[in-house]
Amino acid sequence: MKREKFLMALTGMHHEALLLCQNIETACAIIRGDGMGHALEDLAEKVGYFFNKRLKPHLKAEEKITKALGPHSNAKKEDIQRLFAEHSRLKALLREGSLESLETFSKELKAHVQFEEWELFPLLEKNLTAEEKQAAALELEKTLAPALPLKAKKW
């Protein structure tokens, strides 16, 4: 799905998040199959690094531009509340650091990305004015600046 320019950075980061989910699932399957306890700590550290460097600024940016919808739009309050609730849930799962919580984190992150891409972002594109989109683009650029570029960490 083609996104308007002001949302392209977030959509691109969603692709990275989905790749992270794939890596988590593969690593969890290996850990589960081999009983490699030390690998779980390594996986949790790598996922935490990615979260802090990429996802945390990403979530913050989404929350900022979603607040821009405000009462003047046709946005559903439930969708905005869902965004914030899912962000909180993802953070909580990551803090647990167990194999089960990482697997759940991966599944819920994928569902969250789908919600944003299929429901929330079209709502933003439809309801924000051209000026609000331009302001959102500037806010995204400023908020996402610490996340770019990411120094590669080998899986």
Side-chain angles (χ1 to χ4, degrees), residues 59-120:
L59 300 180
K60 184 178 179 181
E62 288 175 342
E63 290 171 2
K64 282 184 175 184
I65 66 163
T66 303
K67 285 180 183 176
L69 282 170
H72 68 281
S73 73
N74 296 322
K76 296 181 204 166
K77 233 179 208 176
E78 313 86 64
D79 288 338
I80 295 169
Q81 290 171 339
R82 177 179 172 183
L83 173 95
F84 282 87
E86 288 181 3
H87 286 183
S88 294
R89 169 85 171 141
L90 290 168
K91 292 172 191 174
L93 284 167
L94 199 56
R95 280 192 298 271
E96 285 182 40
S98 69
L99 186 60
E100 293 76 17
S101 69
L102 287 172
E103 289 171 324
T104 303
F105 173 85
S106 175
K107 288 176 189 165
E108 291 189 17
L109 180 57
K110 279 197 272 187
H112 180 70
V113 166
Q114 289 177 340
F115 158 68
E116 289 178 346
E117 289 291 335
W118 297 347
E119 296 176 45
L120 192 63

